[in-house]
Amino acid sequence: MSLALRRAIIRTARQMNALGINQGRSGNVSARLGAGFLITPTAVDCDRLGPADIVAGEFGGRHRGKRAPWSEWRFHHDILKTRPETGAVVHAHAPYATTLACLRRAMPAFHSMVAIAGGDSIRCARYATFGTRALSDSVLAALRGRKACLLANHGLVAIGEDLEDALRIAEEVETLAAQYWRALLVGRPKHLSRREMARVVKKFAQCGRLPADR
């Protein structure tokens, strides 16, 4: 199980770069494993990662492995510890999402697909220095009742039942960010009502997948 999950984490990290939602050594990936989790290491290109490079973490702060965990291990740890329904966390420096994050701008309900994050908006977590408890606290607050958020002046975080789900949500958030950015260039997007977004969130939960007419 551990070897298969390590390989899946590496595959996910590489997919992030291939999809254009991450670049080089930026971003990180984690997944729950038993009473702990596995996470990508610091300062290693994803194309050079091997299973032994993935770091094992415990819900208490200790880590095992030949490499150090990524500097953002704390919010991965805290999300997985406090959100038992979450099996994986993806953090990326996606270009459009990061552009909005640098403006400290949340994404409102300009499109029904915003509901993929679990509500009527995709919040922007308040700024804190990377790798700090303050950033982790900010991320947890922005993710309350949500599956994704932006990080002020930083990037995005997406969580899911497993690695595939978390990556799918991260990719959709970047697509939405690009659409919102373009809409803002033209004018002021019309927002869907909270009532309508509640209906959409409910429909997403019922079908358990994205609608076929995406």
Side-chain angles (χ1 to χ4, degrees), residues 10 17 40 47 58 76 97 109 122 148 162 196 200 204:
I10 294 170
N17 281 17
T40 47
D47 288 338
E58 299 177 3
H76 288 262
I122 297 174
D162 53 27
E196 175 59 17
V200 175
F204 277 20

Side-chain angles (χ1 to χ4, degrees), residues 112-178:
S112 61
M113 286 300 296
V114 167
I116 195 174
D120 61 3
S121 67
I122 297 174
R123 304 182 186 114
C124 184
R126 58 185 171 77
Y127 179 79
T129 306
F130 72 91
T132 62
R133 182 175 296 280
L135 177 60
S136 181
D137 290 344
S138 179
V139 170
L140 290 179
L143 283 176
R144 192 171 295 121
R146 298 288 192 274
K147 296 181 180 180
C149 71
L150 307 182
L151 307 183
N153 304 88
H154 194 153
L156 70 84
V157 171
I159 65 178
E161 296 178 1
D162 53 27
L163 288 163
E164 183 178 0
D165 189 36
L167 179 61
R168 176 177 63 89
I169 292 172
E171 184 182 11
E172 186 62 43
V173 169
E174 174 65 353
T175 296
L176 288 164

Side-chain angles (χ1 to χ4, degrees), residues 16-17 20-28 70-72 75 90-99 101-102 130 135 150-157 170 174:
M16 286 165 60
N17 281 17
I21 64 172
N22 206 54
Q23 314 82 33
R25 296 181 177 181
S26 64
N28 30 77
W70 199 266
S71 56
E72 304 292 13
F75 70 65
V90 164
H91 166 50
H93 295 179
Y96 287 99
T98 302
T99 297
C102 288
F130 72 91
L135 177 60
L150 307 182
L151 307 183
N153 304 88
H154 194 153
L156 70 84
V157 171
E174 174 65 353

